[in-house]
Amino acid sequence: MIRRLRGPLATLPALALAACAVGPNYKPPVVQPDAKQPFVEGQASTMLSGQPLPDKWWEMFQDPALDRLIQDAFAYNTDIRVADANLRQARGVLLQQRAGLFPTTTVSGQYSRNRTGVDSLGAQPGAAGAIPAGVDGFDYNLFQAGFDASYEVDIFGRVRRSIEAAKGDEQAARAQLDAARITIAASVAQAYADACGYAAQADVARDTARLQGDTLKLTQRLLDAGRGTRRDVDQAAVTVEQANAQVPQLEAERRAQLYALAALTGRPPAEIDGEAQACHIVPKVKTVIPVGDGATLLARRPDVRAAERTLAADTARIGVATAALFPSVSLLGSVNSTGTKGSQLGTAKSFGFSVGPLIQWNFPNILAAKAQIKQARAGTDASLATFQGTVLTALKETESALARYAAALDQNAALGRAADAADDAAKLSRIRFDSGRDNFLNLLVSEQDRASARSALAQSDQAVADAQVSLFKALGGGWENAPPIANAAPGAVSGNPSVQRGSFAVPVSQKSN
């Protein structure tokens, strides 16, 4: 049995518990009060409210296909899987640092066959009471079993500060995973809206070509009847072909967005989503959008949380570097049992032990430690500036998105009125032309105006959807209650069931919390 520690050794554990960790204690940075106020751009709009943003903002578009695509992206997108792997790696580092709170133990066992020569014993064979003549040495077995333990007495807080730093890194990695989810959700929504928008613009171009094709046929009949001119026919043909020329480019852009959707949801380009391909109506939020205020924005945005947690981790690293200025104290202990027979192991006569402190101190050469402290302080200053810049960026992006959204709504409303007026004017010109009260040039101009107004309105519908998605992205929501993530690395998670995903077989991993 190991005897109880007495004297100075007995005070070391108590000293470790009573000691304070060196280095600064972290205090969250103070955000200016005006940064937490209602948004400047949101106060004058009737399409915005101060209510909290819903977790799944994309459901406000009321499009089941979009809901499904975003859920697929959350499960299979490669950027999200990378962020999830980084989080699991940070958790591993945190577990490693926490292991410093416990003793390091080693269990050993050894057997050896040994020979000791007589010369090494310092005795001559044949001497009285010594080694018999003719004996060159002795052969024997040696059995050994041991248990070694060492424990760092964290007097100056090196271990505790290391755990603080690793915990901050882990929490920052978690926030970065949330940020990846926000970015991907917005990218999916924007690609889907753009695919629908380009399809709608192509439909407008086809409809315009059809209407102007009717005008071309009319002018051709008038020419055949001797009432028109070749110039009128050619001008009508120009407007038809101009409308037709827009369709291939719009279709190409639509397919490009469909390919982007496939990649975002973990599919190869050949696997275009059928519902997205069939969409020809731009999804738009037609209700009031809840945006909250600056305080809820800064608490929700993952990039702000990640910057604050990185600042906390870097502050703790100052303590880790400062602890190198002081001696480290470890308690060492070992228990061993040695015998020439296996049956002797564990007996009182084979038992031995040792226990005592180990003090190490890099003194007087502490220049390297001081240099590391300077580096850690500079890193913390940079992290503080990064946090402050992230806060300003979050507010700037949100205010800018609100301003652009308001402008997109006003523009869309004006273009809607213009499209209605241009449609009425074109119908009137057709009636007047058919009755002989107007010339062909006026009819042609009115139909070109109608085509331009319809095209501009279709582009504006797409711009409104894009502005809404950009606003939701700036508000920083959508990472809450995310579904589990699928890991596409074969064999990365042994024993988990596989899900066939396009041309990839992906074992399903657990969601990171």
Side-chain angles (χ1 to χ4, degrees):
M1 179 181 296
I2 298 178
R3 295 183 179 179
R4 205 169 172 185
L5 294 178
R6 297 183 181 277
L9 293 180
T11 65
L12 287 175
L15 179 62
L17 293 175
C20 295
V22 295
N25 293 322
Y26 175 70
K27 294 181 180 179
V30 178
V31 178
Q32 294 180 353
D34 55 356
K36 300 179 180 181
Q37 300 301 316
F39 299 115
V40 176
E41 291 289 338
Q43 297 179 21
S45 177
T46 59
M47 295 302 294
L48 304 171
S49 75
Q51 297 299 315
L53 182 71
D55 291 350
K56 298 181 179 180
W57 52 260
W58 50 88
E59 292 181 349
M60 297 183 66
F61 287 96
Q62 299 183 347
D63 191 319
L66 176 59
D67 298 343
R68 176 182 52 78
L69 287 168
I70 290 180
Q71 295 303 306
D72 284 352
F74 278 169
Y76 299 104
N77 181 266
T78 54
D79 290 342
I80 291 178
R81 295 208 317 270
V82 168
D84 177 65
N86 291 337
L87 173 57
R88 287 184 277 117
Q89 186 179 36
R91 285 176 175 170
V93 174
L94 177 58
L95 288 175
Q96 180 182 0
Q97 295 300 333
R98 282 176 173 167
L101 295 173
F102 302 94
T104 300
T105 58
T106 303
V107 177
S108 62
Q110 182 181 1
Y111 161 75
S112 62
R113 179 68 176 172
N114 302 281
R115 178 179 177 82
T116 302
V118 295
D119 288 345
S120 65
L121 299 177
Q124 297 297 323
I131 301 171
V135 176
D136 297 329
F138 298 95
D139 296 333
Y140 60 94
N141 297 323
L142 185 63
F143 296 86
Q144 292 179 315
F147 177 81
D148 299 324
S150 64
Y151 174 70
E152 180 179 351
V153 184
D154 196 25
I155 298 176
F156 301 103
R158 185 195 68 81
V159 176
R160 282 170 285 166
R161 293 302 193 195
S162 297
I163 294 173
E164 287 181 26
K167 187 174 182 180
D169 289 338
E170 186 268 343
Q171 292 170 337
R174 184 186 307 175
Q176 288 162 359
L177 172 58
D178 295 338
R181 289 189 173 111
I182 292 174
T183 300
I184 296 305
S187 297
V188 170
Q190 196 157 37
Y192 179 77
D194 287 346
C196 299
Y198 285 123
Q201 291 182 53
D203 290 342
V204 169
R206 292 189 189 95
D207 189 54
T208 298
R210 180 185 60 79
L211 292 174
Q212 293 180 343
D214 294 340
T215 301
L216 174 61
K217 293 176 182 178
L218 173 62
T219 54
Q220 184 63 51
R221 287 198 300 270
L222 291 175
L223 176 62
D224 295 341
R227 295 177 51 195
T229 65
R230 171 55 59 182
R231 179 173 176 272
D232 293 342
V233 173
D234 290 341
Q235 286 180 326
V238 168
T239 59
V240 171
E241 296 307 326
Q242 285 177 339
N244 285 329
Q246 296 178 13
V247 175
Q249 184 62 35
L250 294 171
E251 283 294 335
E253 292 297 332
R254 180 180 74 92
R255 292 196 301 274
Q257 296 302 322
L258 292 174
Y259 296 144
L261 269 179
L264 287 167
T265 54
R267 297 185 179 96
E271 296 185 17
I272 292 177
D273 187 82
E275 288 185 291
Q277 188 174 17
C279 179
H280 288 256
I281 299 176
V282 180
K284 289 191 295 184
V285 177
K286 300 178 182 178
T287 59
V288 174
I289 296 180
V291 297
D293 55 18
T296 57
L297 170 74
L298 298 180
R300 183 176 55 241
R301 282 212 20 163
D303 55 342
V304 175
R305 289 190 285 115
E308 189 272 334
R309 288 291 81 201
T310 299
L311 174 59
D314 287 343
T315 302
R317 289 188 180 95
I318 297 176
V320 176
T322 304
L325 294 174
F326 301 93
S328 64
V329 179
S330 298
L331 292 179
L332 306 180
S334 66
V335 178
N336 62 80
S337 180
T338 304
T340 58
K341 296 179 181 180
S343 59
Q344 294 175 342
L345 295 180
T347 63
K349 293 182 178 181
S350 68
F351 176 76
F353 75 89
S354 67
V355 63
L358 171 66
I359 301 177
Q360 294 178 313
W361 193 8
N362 295 327
F363 183 83
N365 185 13
I366 58 176
L367 294 179
K370 289 185 176 181
Q372 290 177 348
I373 294 173
K374 290 183 179 181
Q375 295 174 32
R377 290 190 180 279
T380 302
D381 292 341
S383 294
L384 176 60
T386 299
F387 170 78
Q388 294 170 338
T390 303
V391 169
L392 294 176
T393 298
L395 295 171
K396 177 204 69 175
E397 288 179 352
T398 304
E399 294 286 7
S400 299
L402 288 169
R404 294 188 179 108
Y405 176 49
L409 287 178
D410 292 343
Q411 184 185 46
N412 187 256
L415 290 175
R417 294 189 295 268
D420 291 340
D423 192 57
D424 290 341
K427 290 177 181 178
L428 263 157
S429 292
R430 168 71 62 172
I431 294 172
R432 291 175 62 85
F433 178 77
D434 290 343
S435 62
R437 299 171 58 191
D438 211 343
N439 59 38
F440 175 74
L441 180 60
N442 289 338
L443 172 63
L444 190 62
V445 170
S446 65
E447 290 188 342
Q448 289 175 336
D449 290 343
R450 177 176 59 186
S452 298
R454 285 183 173 182
S455 178
L457 180 60
Q459 294 177 25
S460 177
D461 288 340
Q462 183 175 335
V464 169
D466 288 344
Q468 289 172 339
V469 172
S470 297
L471 174 58
F472 287 129
K473 181 181 179 182
L475 291 172
W479 50 267
E480 305 89 341
N481 302 315
I485 298 171
N487 193 328
V493 184
S494 60
N496 283 357
S498 293
V499 177
Q500 192 67 28
R501 180 63 171 175
S503 60
F504 306 106
V506 294
V508 179
S509 67
Q510 295 297 320
K511 172 186 174 184
S512 294
N513 295 316

